[in-house]
Amino acid sequence: MDDDMPFDIKQTYLKFLEEDPQLTMPVAAIQSLVALLADAQPKTSAELIEVLQEASQTLKDSVPNSISLSAGSDLFLRFVVRNIHDYSDWEACKRNLVENGRTFAERAKESRSLIARLGLPFVRDNDIILVHGRSRAVHQLLELAASKHVRFQVYVTEARVCAEGQIAAAAFRKLGIPTCMIPDSSVGYVIPKVHKVFLGAEGVAESGGVINQIGSSQVVMLAHQFKKPVFVLAESHKFVRLFPLSSDDLTTETPYTFTTTETEEFDPANGPQIDFTPHKYITALITDLGVLTPSGVSEELIKIWFG
Amino acid sequence: MSKDLTPAQAKALKKQQKQAQRAARKEQGGNVGGAPQASQQQHGSRKHTAVGNVGQSSAPETAAPDRPFAHLDQHKPIVSAADIHPAILNLALQMRRCNVLGSTQRCVAMMEAFSKVIEDYQSPPGTTLGRSLAAHLSRQIEVLKVGRALSVSQGNAIRWLKQHLSAVLDFKDVAAKEELQLAIKSFVRERLEVAAKVIVKSAGTHIRNGDTVLTFGHSSVVYQTLAAARKEGKEFSVICVDTPPLFEGKRSAVELVELEIPTSYILISAVPYLLDTVTTVMVGAHAMVSNGHLYSRVGTSLVAMAAFDRNIPMLVLCETLKFSERIQLDAFSVNEMIPGEGPNSVFYDLTDSKYISKVITEVGALPASSVPVILREYKTQQV
């Protein structure tokens, strides 16, 4: 980093994401804060916390959808606040925070392969699996299952607005998994033939409900109606201290508006990018802490924050 | 069972039976009005079938269809003694008459009364305050209990106070008094006042412009939430739901109208009719029991079920001081009679956790199923 340039938390964050496509947003946020710790020279612990708080707020404000990111930064802040008084020597404390921050980021990356191992028994021969959009955790699980010669087929939704279904489907086919792309509007058509639904997550709310790419909640509700199990694959660092009751409780959204004139061309990308799926529709969450029921999430969160 | 009783026990039992019978007759006579004769006859015939149950309950009745709460404790007259502090006696009477009502208010009033008890306490010669106060406090608590059964918040506060007494064991009396009074003050501030502030902030995010909030009876923390939202300039309306015999909703309605919040006042029977306009239901709690059910003013469960039926979020605003380790499955086994309101009037009902969308506490917002987790985490912290 150039010495003359002031440390830019947003640029650092984006650079981390760009450099490593396997990196998730919360981990990138943690790594950026660790980098900031190494760069900034706070004199006291109060100053350190202030610097970190300010940076994480800047980071949250700088991206349109900050839920996943804030899961990481909040967790790191909590970690710092809790450990800061354990050291008498200030330098040692800072060194330790930087080091621990790095191990934290490393461990977070590893958790995806752990999730794949825990999720493997859920993928069985002759399964027809429905996947909504693109998720690295789901990809890793299906990759592992395919490598173990489990024979299954996958429906991949197009997952508009993000439209990352194409990329996901291409990746599955590359692994030799029989894959079928479907438009989002056909979920109701295929769901009776599906055995289970796998989803990734942007964030897991305190209730065990899931914040994910838009369209997830309607897919899950259809699955629920047809009594198909829904499994959410999420790293525990995606657990957020949020408890929305419905999608419009998510703060980052730009709501749809009603008009009577053709003001602008219809562009679905202007609408919300994520939605919220209430916990009652979710069968289980496959996380690096184990396979949890939705209510198990709040137990883990309470342990992290009060334990 | 009655064969095993000693003569003294048998005598006491007989006396108890007679008293309960007399009380029941009096209540029925007063409330049924038109048909006292008939109900007395019924009552008499039931007595025979009920004898086998006498040993376990204070009233010699099994639950009959028309008197499902006959097994609950009947209210006894409040009797004072020389060492009972006037503040305690006053509070016991106020609670009995439902002038001091509501879990939070009762707990605050009790702690204030305890503070006065401690202020005026003279430890007997040869002992210190730290060592003799516990017994003195217990006698005060007995009187409060006669006034009304302790609320869960009061019970938790008393448990804390008794634990805290051990901290002043070796203090001089003056220092101990000072320390205890300060501790009581900060306990109330921390567990109720600050807790309410945190809850208000969190619950406030659920009130948006154009919303209609439905609330039931009266809750201080719900009131504070609505007041704060109003102060922030949010435009919303409130439906206050009320029910006899206590009509606590009147207080809510008056308070909200004073804040110039558009408020409707309805009785519980009109809830389904107006529910379509409601965006959120917010209620306070008497207690959250550890299986995630809500134990609160009778009528709450009806409102919750109606809201659930229409998919309207039901929020419970509850300080963790009101969390109880008890597991409760129905509102019959544990409940409390409303003094002077006839044989079928009870204070509380139980709302199943599945009807509750969210419990908002000062340590965060949780699904109702996480109540035991909070209890457990707090317990491990205290040890």
Side-chain angles (χ1 to χ4, degrees):
Chain A
M1 190 133 312
D2 199 329
D3 283 344
D4 300 332
M5 288 282 286
F7 186 86
D8 186 337
I9 186 87
K10 186 189 170 189
Q11 290 308 323
T12 319
Y13 169 73
L14 292 176
K15 211 176 94 217
F16 273 125
L17 278 181
E18 200 181 311
E19 277 171 5
D20 184 355
Q22 287 303 308
L23 206 63
T24 56
M25 285 181 271
V27 181
I30 291 172
Q31 285 193 329
S32 316
L33 291 176
V34 170
L36 170 73
L37 266 188
D39 181 84
Q41 297 293 334
K43 301 280 180 300
T44 62
S45 56
E47 201 184 330
L48 169 81
I49 290 168
E50 200 185 298
V51 165
L52 284 177
Q53 255 163 359
E54 212 172 281
S56 90
Q57 196 54 48
T58 320
L59 204 51
K60 281 182 204 174
D61 294 341
S62 68
V63 295
N65 162 25
S66 65
I67 285 178
S68 186
L69 177 162
S70 64
S73 61
D74 289 355
L75 196 61
F76 185 66
L77 263 175
R78 167 77 191 158
F79 175 78
V80 169
V81 171
R82 200 201 286 178
N83 287 295
I84 204 159
H85 301 296
D86 291 351
Y87 303 94
S88 47
D89 173 17
W90 173 239
E91 275 305 312
C93 166
K94 220 176 81 176
R95 213 173 327 116
N96 196 291
L97 280 179
V98 173
E99 259 165 39
N100 273 335
R102 291 215 175 97
T103 20
F104 186 88
E106 285 301 316
R107 227 185 309 157
K109 270 201 259 182
E110 277 166 28
S111 55
R112 243 184 345 246
S113 56
L114 181 58
I115 289 171
R117 286 205 299 281
L118 287 168
L120 187 60
F122 293 96
V123 187
R124 315 262 297 264
D125 273 344
N126 301 321
D127 268 355
I128 297 176
I129 292 166
L130 176 66
V131 172
H132 180 70
R134 188 164 75 114
S135 150
R136 279 166 286 219
V138 172
H139 178 90
Q140 202 152 340
L141 167 62
L142 296 188
E143 184 177 20
L144 181 69
S147 75
K148 302 271 183 198
H149 309 295
V150 183
R151 288 157 297 178
F152 58 95
Q153 295 165 305
V154 180
Y155 280 119
V156 181
T157 62
E158 204 180 356
R160 297 247 264 161
V161 179
C162 315
E164 286 185 325
Q166 292 270 12
I167 307 169
F172 290 146
R173 288 189 180 116
K174 216 171 159 188
L175 295 170
I177 301 168
T179 305
C180 175
M181 263 302 272
I182 57 164
D184 298 323
S185 43
S186 313
V187 174
Y189 183 94
V190 303
I191 200 83
K193 294 263 190 295
V194 164
H195 294 112
K196 51 198 74 163
V197 177
F198 281 120
L199 282 182
E202 292 260 330
V204 178
E206 211 147 3
S207 57
V210 169
I211 301 153
N212 199 26
Q213 288 163 37
I214 195 145
S216 300
S217 86
Q218 62 197 37
V219 169
V220 171
M221 280 178 207
L222 273 166
H224 180 80
Q225 189 62 27
F226 282 84
K227 306 207 167 29
K228 309 293 182 187
V230 175
F231 299 102
V232 173
L233 280 62
E235 301 94 318
S236 61
H237 62 252
K238 283 183 175 166
F239 291 3
V240 284
R241 292 216 72 199
L242 284 173
F243 188 164
L245 292 170
S246 65
S247 293
D248 61 355
D249 280 345
L250 301 173
T251 44
T252 58
E253 296 312 323
T254 40
Y256 294 118
T257 49
F258 300 98
T259 56
T260 51
T261 49
E262 289 289 333
T263 43
E264 52 198 286
E265 232 177 284
F266 170 66
D267 181 6
N270 285 338
Q273 307 276 322
I274 51 173
D275 66 14
F276 177 68
T277 309
H279 67 277
K280 62 181 170 192
Y281 302 117
I282 292 162
T283 314
L285 293 117
I286 304 172
T287 77
D288 48 308
L289 303 170
V291 182
L292 304 176
T293 58
S295 63
V297 172
S298 71
E299 181 155 354
E300 291 299 334
L301 264 170
I302 292 166
K303 272 190 207 155
I304 293 172
W305 287 81
F306 302 102
Chain B
M1 188 172 264
S2 54
K3 274 179 209 161
D4 305 331
L5 297 174
T6 63
Q9 278 174 324
K11 206 170 168 189
L13 196 65
K14 219 165 194 181
K15 200 174 158 195
Q16 218 174 24
Q17 277 177 334
K18 232 175 202 169
Q19 262 175 4
Q21 219 173 307
R22 213 173 292 145
R25 208 172 291 154
K26 205 170 153 196
E27 275 165 23
Q28 281 189 342
N31 288 288
V32 178
Q37 195 92 37
S39 63
Q40 267 179 34
Q41 271 170 6
Q42 273 176 20
H43 180 81
S45 65
R46 209 180 307 122
K47 210 173 72 186
H48 296 289
T49 59
V51 175
N53 205 25
V54 164
Q56 295 122 19
S57 60
S58 54
E61 301 265 336
T62 50
D66 60 330
R67 290 211 44 194
F69 299 107
H71 61 288
L72 297 177
D73 285 338
Q74 305 295 322
H75 291 282
K76 286 179 272 187
I78 300 165
V79 185
S80 186
D83 63 347
I84 300 305
H85 195 280
I88 294 291
L89 196 61
N90 180 40
L91 178 59
L93 283 162
Q94 297 279 16
M95 290 198 300
R96 167 66 67 86
R97 289 176 191 166
C98 296
N99 291 336
V100 175
L101 196 59
S103 177
T104 309
Q105 207 190 343
R106 276 164 70 198
C107 187
V108 172
M110 182 189 75
M111 292 308 256
E112 278 168 2
F114 283 163
S115 194
K116 282 179 199 149
V117 170
I118 292 165
E119 170 81 53
D120 296 341
Y121 182 65
Q122 299 277 339
S123 51
T127 177
T128 64
L129 180 138
R131 289 176 197 283
S132 61
L133 185 63
H136 182 65
L137 268 181
S138 296
R139 283 193 293 280
Q140 315 294 318
I141 293 163
E142 284 310 314
V143 174
L144 286 181
K145 272 188 193 164
V146 176
R148 260 194 74 182
L150 295 177
S151 68
V152 168
S153 54
Q154 286 176 317
N156 286 338
I158 287 170
R159 203 165 312 134
W160 166 84
L161 182 60
K162 284 192 169 165
Q163 251 175 19
H164 200 77
L165 283 183
S166 61
V168 297
L169 270 186
D170 303 323
F171 281 43
K172 290 236 163 58
D173 280 14
V174 179
K177 278 185 183 183
E178 207 169 293
E179 157 64 22
L180 284 174
Q181 282 178 311
L182 266 177
I184 286 176
K185 223 177 189 175
S186 68
F187 178 86
V188 170
R189 194 170 56 232
E190 196 183 306
R191 298 299 300 271
L192 289 170
E193 288 165 17
V194 176
K197 275 190 191 143
V198 178
I199 292 170
V200 163
K201 210 173 158 203
S202 168
T205 59
H206 288 285
I207 303 176
R208 275 171 285 195
N209 284 335
D211 276 4
T212 302
V213 180
L214 183 140
T215 181
F216 176 71
H218 185 273
S219 150
S220 52
V221 64
V222 169
Y223 166 72
Q224 287 175 56
T225 305
L226 298 172
R230 176 69 193 169
K231 214 172 163 193
E232 281 170 36
K234 288 178 185 169
E235 298 283 340
F236 61 98
S237 56
V238 179
I239 298 177
C240 281
V241 180
D242 210 356
T243 182
L246 294 170
F247 291 112
E248 289 161 283
K250 279 184 188 167
R251 182 175 158 203
S252 297
V254 168
E255 285 175 350
L256 294 172
V257 168
E258 268 170 16
L259 297 174
E260 295 179 349
I261 298 172
T263 305
S264 318
Y265 174 84
I266 60 168
L267 288 184
I268 198 163
S269 44
V271 166
Y273 178 69
L274 283 176
L275 212 51
D276 279 339
T277 61
V278 173
T279 39
T280 319
V281 178
M282 268 188 203
V283 296
H286 175 85
M288 289 296 305
V289 292
S290 79
N291 48 342
H293 292 5
L294 164 67
Y295 185 64
S296 200
R297 184 67 71 238
V298 63
T300 306
S301 118
L302 206 58
V303 172
M305 282 191 276
F308 180 80
D309 191 48
R310 311 272 176 112
N311 246 329
I312 297 165
M314 157 93 177
L315 311 181
V316 178
L317 280 55
C318 181
E319 299 90 343
T320 53
L321 186 61
K322 297 177 182 172
F323 279 28
S324 167
E325 302 243 344
R326 189 170 75 209
I327 286 177
Q328 201 177 332
L329 300 171
D330 59 56
F332 293 104
S333 49
V334 178
N335 214 318
E336 199 190 336
M337 310 289 298
I338 303 181
E341 291 294 343
N344 289 338
S345 272
V346 287
F347 273 111
Y348 306 109
D349 70 10
L350 196 70
T351 306
D352 196 300
S353 59
K354 72 179 171 207
Y355 303 129
I356 300 166
S357 313
K358 186 176 194 173
V359 183
I360 301 177
T361 76
E362 74 271 24
V363 297
L366 316 147
S369 56
S370 291
V371 172
V373 184
I374 290 280
L375 283 168
R376 195 167 61 229
E377 290 297 319
Y378 262 87
K379 222 175 178 185
T380 48
Q381 255 182 10
Q382 276 167 3
V383 170

